[in-house]
Amino acid sequence: MESKSEQNEWSSGVWANLTAVRKQSPLVQCITNFVSMDLVANTLLSAGASPAMVHSVVEIPDFTPHIHALCVNVGTLTPDWLPSMKAAAELASKLGKPWVLDPAAVSCSGFRLKACLELIELKPSVIKGNGSEIIALSSASRGQTKGADSSHESTDAIEAAKSLALSSGAVVAVSGAVDIVTDGKQVIGVHNGTKMMQKITATGCSLAGLVAAFLAIDSSRVLQATVSAMSVFGIAGELGEAMANGPGSLRMHLIDSLYGLDETTVLKRVNITRLS
């Protein structure tokens, strides 16, 4: 059980990070999938960040040195896009810029699993996936998933997440009913969010982009920045659901709620616990 002072510390940290994103408007390069581009870009804009959906390998050498963070999502992976992802990730790592890997549906093919394992070798700051994706990556073997949906709860993946964090050097974030964030030693639970968010495609992809934005302003504290981003996104979802009639209107209200988040609401709603 968290003490009141620990809860207050998490809450104030979440608000400070969101405020910094709004003030600094970090440039986040997103090499993401066709399904998610619109929602990822609008999520970043509504949070105060500046999205750039630059994915051509030809542009990487000129553009990527100017970004503040990178997000790579393999949701609609093709052999043509993989070189861009690798080039951007390699350059970001070389220049000390934080980057996030979202291994969407990693176990649906050998090609995708191999690509994600190769990307992990380029040292992502954060690996964010659902329970099934993290379990599959951690064991580096093909698991049972259907597309990007998860057949495992986030809490089923705690040990796999810790193992992956220790082997990769990345903070691992597992999205689910309770979001799990671990550096291999600490395990943090983020209890914000709403089940209806799972009925909107690309919310997970958008969360990965938001994590990248928060890393851009707090890259020395990767675990805390990741927890903050996940809490903020979850709170926006809770507020959005209260106004929504279903997934379609939730999508709109989610973006509006993220844009309008104020200090009182954030401090009141942050629900973060230390699980170990």
Side-chain angles (χ1 to χ4, degrees):
M1 189 74 177
E2 296 284 274
S3 69
K4 193 172 177 65
S5 64
E6 283 177 307
Q7 279 286 5
N8 290 340
E9 190 176 333
W10 280 118
S11 299
S12 59
V14 171
W15 175 248
N17 280 337
L18 177 58
T19 302
V21 169
R22 289 170 168 174
K23 184 177 180 181
Q24 297 176 31
S25 191
L27 178 61
V28 181
Q29 182 181 1
C30 302
I31 305 181
T32 188
N33 63 75
F34 294 117
V35 180
S36 74
M37 287 183 185
D38 171 76
L39 189 57
V40 173
N42 281 301
T43 295
L44 286 167
L45 285 169
S46 62
S50 178
M53 318 315 269
V54 175
H55 63 262
S56 170
V57 71
V58 179
E59 292 189 296
I60 301 296
D62 290 335
F63 185 79
T64 302
H66 301 289
I67 66 171
H68 298 109
L70 168 71
C71 181
V72 173
N73 177 298
V74 300
T76 52
L77 185 65
T78 71
D80 293 337
W81 277 43
L82 188 54
S84 301
M85 294 173 174
K86 287 182 175 179
E90 187 170 16
L91 192 50
S93 288
K94 180 182 174 184
L95 297 174
K97 298 175 187 290
W99 75 278
V100 177
L101 172 63
D102 189 337
V106 62
S107 63
C108 75
S109 72
F111 165 64
R112 191 175 295 236
L113 178 59
K114 182 173 182 284
C116 287
L117 292 173
E118 290 171 355
L119 285 164
I120 287 173
E121 290 176 7
L122 299 174
K123 298 296 179 187
S125 310
V126 173
I127 301 168
K128 187 226 71 82
N130 62 38
S132 295
E133 290 160 355
I134 296 305
I135 288 169
L137 262 188
S138 183
S139 63
S141 63
R142 294 180 65 172
Q144 298 298 315
T145 66
K146 50 173 188 173
D149 297 334
S150 181
S151 56
H152 297 87
E153 295 293 335
S154 57
T155 47
D156 297 336
I158 289 177
E159 291 307 315
K162 288 166 69 176
S163 175
L164 181 59
L166 291 172
S167 65
S168 66
V171 162
V172 175
V174 192
S175 56
V178 177
D179 295 326
I180 304 296
V181 184
T182 181
D183 57 6
K185 296 175 184 176
Q186 302 179 78
V187 181
I188 309 299
V190 182
H191 304 264
N192 293 113
T194 170
K195 197 165 185 178
M196 199 194 296
M197 292 169 76
Q198 297 172 8
K199 297 296 183 183
I200 308 171
T201 190
T203 50
C205 311
S206 299
L207 176 55
L210 193 63
V211 168
F214 275 62
L215 289 177
I217 54 89
D218 200 8
S219 61
S220 65
R221 301 195 313 150
V222 175
L223 183 134
Q224 289 83 355
T226 303
V227 167
S228 292
M230 297 183 93
S231 182
V232 161
F233 196 66
I235 291 169
E238 292 168 1
L239 296 171
E241 186 181 54
M243 296 180 279
N245 296 313
S249 52
L250 174 58
R251 187 184 193 276
M252 174 185 72
H253 290 304
L254 170 66
I255 294 170
D256 285 352
S257 297
L258 182 56
Y259 176 79
L261 277 180
D262 59 38
E263 183 176 9
T264 302
T265 303
V266 170
L267 296 182
K268 179 182 175 183
R269 284 185 171 264
V270 165
N271 188 359
I272 295 166
T273 60
R274 191 176 298 276
L275 301 181
S276 70

